[in-house]
Amino acid sequence: MNIPKYEIIIYWSDEDNSYISEVPELPGCMSDGKTLQETVNNTETVIKEWIETALMYGEKIPEPKGKLMYA
């Protein structure tokens, strides 16, 4: 499966002692990891699973919009 290019937001959580990622365009799509690379890899897996689950239930898959916010 070719992974669509969704925006991924990654931040450090002192509470969890790990990086946390969110994919704003896919509701509830989140992941974590001890390193940035692990977090990105885990997030790509979760995006695939999110899409597979949505397709299984006949849900619409949002088109990636690119950068959603500005700093």
Side-chain angles (χ1 to χ4, degrees), residues 1-10 22-27 29 40 43-44 46-48 50-52 54 60-68:
M1 171 188 277
N2 205 7
I3 303 172
K5 306 295 187 230
Y6 291 104
E7 177 182 39
I8 299 172
I9 298 171
I10 299 176
E22 299 178 12
V23 184
E25 294 171 271
L26 305 177
C29 189
V40 170
T43 305
E44 288 176 346
V46 171
I47 289 170
K48 287 182 203 175
W50 193 101
I51 292 170
E52 289 170 359
K60 184 179 177 189
I61 309 301
E63 287 293 322
K65 296 177 183 163
K67 189 173 183 177
L68 300 178

Side-chain angles (χ1 to χ4, degrees), residues 2-71:
N2 205 7
I3 303 172
K5 306 295 187 230
Y6 291 104
E7 177 182 39
I8 299 172
I9 298 171
I10 299 176
Y11 55 92
W12 177 257
S13 170
D14 284 331
E15 182 179 331
D16 299 310
N17 195 34
S18 62
Y19 291 95
I20 306 295
S21 69
E22 299 178 12
V23 184
E25 294 171 271
L26 305 177
C29 189
M30 299 176 71
S31 188
D32 66 352
K34 295 296 179 191
T35 66
L36 284 173
Q37 189 59 53
E38 179 184 22
T39 306
V40 170
N41 292 342
N42 292 344
T43 305
E44 288 176 346
T45 298
V46 171
I47 289 170
K48 287 182 203 175
E49 292 171 352
W50 193 101
I51 292 170
E52 289 170 359
T53 302
L55 290 172
M56 185 170 54
Y57 287 100
E59 299 291 328
K60 184 179 177 189
I61 309 301
E63 287 293 322
K65 296 177 183 163
K67 189 173 183 177
L68 300 178
M69 299 179 352
Y70 295 94

